[in-house]
Amino acid sequence: MGYNKEYYIDALAAVAERKKEAEAIADMETKTVQISYPEIQEIENKINEIGLEAVKSAVKLSGTADLIKLKEQYESLAKQRDELIAKYKVDVKLLSPQYRCKKCNDTGYENGKLCECVKAIAKEKYYKDLCQQMPLERSTFENFDLSLYPDDCVSNMNEIFKFCKDYADGFNPTSKSLLFFGRTGLGKTHLSLAIANGVIDKGYSVIYGSSQNFLKQIEDEAFGRKSGDTLNALLDCDLLILDDFGTEFLSSFISSAIYNILNTRALKSMPTVISTNLSLGEINSVYGERIFSRIIGNYVIKQFTGKDIRQVQMVKNNS
Ligand SMILES: [Zn+2]
């Protein structure tokens, strides 16, 4: 997929920074060895001299005898150097730059084309920008509070909590899709974001955000009001989390965009997590049979129960 040019420019700058850093570290390590073990440096200097002489005699064609002699000297010096390196336990690997990307050695290009590492950085940044409105850090499994639910709902919510945690722990790009429904304030967004956190930690690409915002953005981009590639990002990420499904302004464009997203991901067995305040019946009547059947046929459905936990929390804090 393509992003705005700025994403690639930023990604190339980040890769150039990695290259500089790797080379600076190697440089520093080399200088440390030169200072700490001058005898290694002396041998190294002699080896360099022999190299130069070998080039000269090869150019002069002054016979193979010289070259054989030089080769013997070189081998003897190299052996001494290796012995010293072993004796002082010098980590030779650190003396040459340890580039992060083995494909392009952090140049950003492989065979004249943009390297995968640049594309990965651009993608990560683009995804982050798409998700920036949601408070990811604040919603984890650790700070999900089951004590805020009334007694008759605790066992259901405990089951959902465990299910979500297992889902995040065992996530893979063909995990099932999930639908969370229930009234507002029952922890649907919290657990969706906790899943996002867990799945991001496992190294997968996740896009999460309000369904309404994403669809507005897709519409603006489709009609040239904004630049970007939100639709492809939503189709492409390992896990898509659509929060507050059902609050979109449903034009025929938005309707078909929703169908396109859910259908394409379902056909490729790519997981989507939807949370909504609508009941199943309302999803059917609002979105119609085509979208409803996509969800019912493919999603694991969890109904959230309880009282609005934000209100419960407020009462608890004030008492
Ligand atoms: Zn690379």
Side-chain angles (χ1 to χ4, degrees):
M1 57 178 289
Y3 313 106
N4 293 349
K5 215 168 65 195
E6 294 78 56
Y7 285 95
Y8 291 114
I9 293 171
D10 285 354
L12 277 168
V15 170
E17 202 50 47
R18 286 179 179 178
K19 185 169 186 285
K20 238 165 69 186
E21 198 182 301
E23 286 167 358
I25 291 172
D27 225 39
M28 197 178 65
E29 293 285 343
T30 308
K31 282 195 182 113
T32 309
V33 170
Q34 285 169 350
I35 293 165
S36 316
Y37 314 110
E39 58 263 64
I40 296 181
Q41 189 52 39
E42 253 169 59
I43 294 174
E44 208 53 73
N45 293 343
K46 281 184 195 159
I47 287 177
N48 287 340
E49 282 165 27
I50 288 174
L52 279 175
E53 264 183 68
V55 172
K56 274 187 222 158
S57 42
V59 172
K60 275 192 275 175
L61 296 170
S62 59
T64 48
D66 281 355
L67 280 175
I68 291 170
K69 216 175 92 196
L70 288 170
K71 189 166 176 261
E72 278 169 8
Q73 282 176 0
Y74 166 80
E75 276 166 2
S76 148
L77 285 167
K79 194 167 162 244
Q80 287 176 45
R81 179 195 56 194
D82 292 347
E83 279 165 5
L84 285 172
I85 283 172
K87 182 177 156 194
Y88 295 128
K89 299 192 172 62
V90 174
D91 191 348
V92 192
K93 214 181 101 191
L94 297 178
L95 304 182
S96 54
Q98 298 303 301
Y99 296 116
R100 202 94 76 86
C101 178
K102 305 296 171 210
K103 282 186 186 157
C104 71
N105 285 340
D106 296 347
T107 60
Y109 291 93
E110 195 197 7
N111 301 326
K113 282 188 185 152
L114 266 191
C115 182
E116 289 303 319
C117 69
V118 177
K119 292 182 197 167
I121 295 172
K123 181 167 151 175
E124 196 182 324
K125 176 79 174 58
Y126 186 65
Y127 281 16
K128 251 197 200 132
D129 285 355
L130 276 179
C131 303
Q132 68 191 184
Q133 296 107 335
M134 300 281 278
L136 192 64
E137 320 72 45
R138 276 186 271 142
S139 304
T140 62
F141 288 116
E142 286 70 32
N143 66 17
F144 186 75
D145 190 355
L146 275 166
S147 76
L148 298 174
Y149 292 85
D151 291 344
D152 56 339
C153 298
V154 169
S155 108
N156 175 48
M157 289 312 299
N158 189 33
E159 187 271 321
I160 291 178
F161 171 76
K162 281 194 178 136
F163 173 86
C164 291
K165 198 162 181 321
D166 288 347
Y167 182 87
D169 288 344
F171 181 86
N172 70 70
T174 58
S175 285
K176 291 248 177 227
S177 289
L178 314 177
L179 175 75
F180 297 157
F181 79 100
R183 286 196 316 275
T184 181
L186 298 181
K188 297 186 298 292
T189 301
H190 188 124
L191 285 181
S192 305
L193 293 181
I195 288 175
N197 266 314
V199 173
I200 289 170
D201 283 347
K202 290 178 73 133
Y204 292 108
S205 59
V206 180
I207 291 185
Y208 54 89
S210 123
S211 173
Q212 186 186 14
N213 287 350
F214 284 147
L215 287 155
K216 176 84 177 59
Q217 220 158 306
I218 288 170
E219 190 179 46
D220 285 346
E221 288 163 14
F223 292 103
R225 294 191 285 261
K226 273 184 187 166
S227 65
D229 201 357
T230 306
L231 178 61
N232 270 317
L234 265 53
L235 295 177
D236 183 61
C237 57
D238 293 324
L239 176 64
L240 170 63
I241 298 179
L242 293 176
D243 198 48
D244 248 340
F245 190 70
T247 50
E248 314 83 11
F249 172 74
L250 273 189
S251 62
S252 57
F253 176 87
I254 296 286
S255 248
S256 62
I258 293 174
Y259 180 75
N260 182 9
I261 293 165
L262 301 187
N263 189 46
T264 305
R265 293 189 63 89
L267 288 176
K268 291 200 263 175
S269 303
M270 295 166 88
T272 308
V273 175
I274 293 177
S275 73
T276 179
N277 297 339
L278 301 178
S279 67
L280 296 182
E282 283 166 336
I283 296 178
N284 191 12
S285 58
V286 171
Y287 291 101
E289 183 62 31
R290 202 162 71 127
I291 290 175
F292 182 67
S293 66
R294 267 280 150 240
I295 296 174
I296 291 297
N298 292 289
Y299 285 58
V300 176
I301 296 172
K302 297 285 174 193
Q303 180 172 15
F304 282 55
T305 50
K307 286 185 186 138
D308 190 330
I309 50 178
R310 279 166 286 199
Q311 283 173 18
V312 176
Q313 207 153 26
M314 245 166 14
V315 172
K316 218 177 158 183
N317 290 343
N318 292 334
S319 62

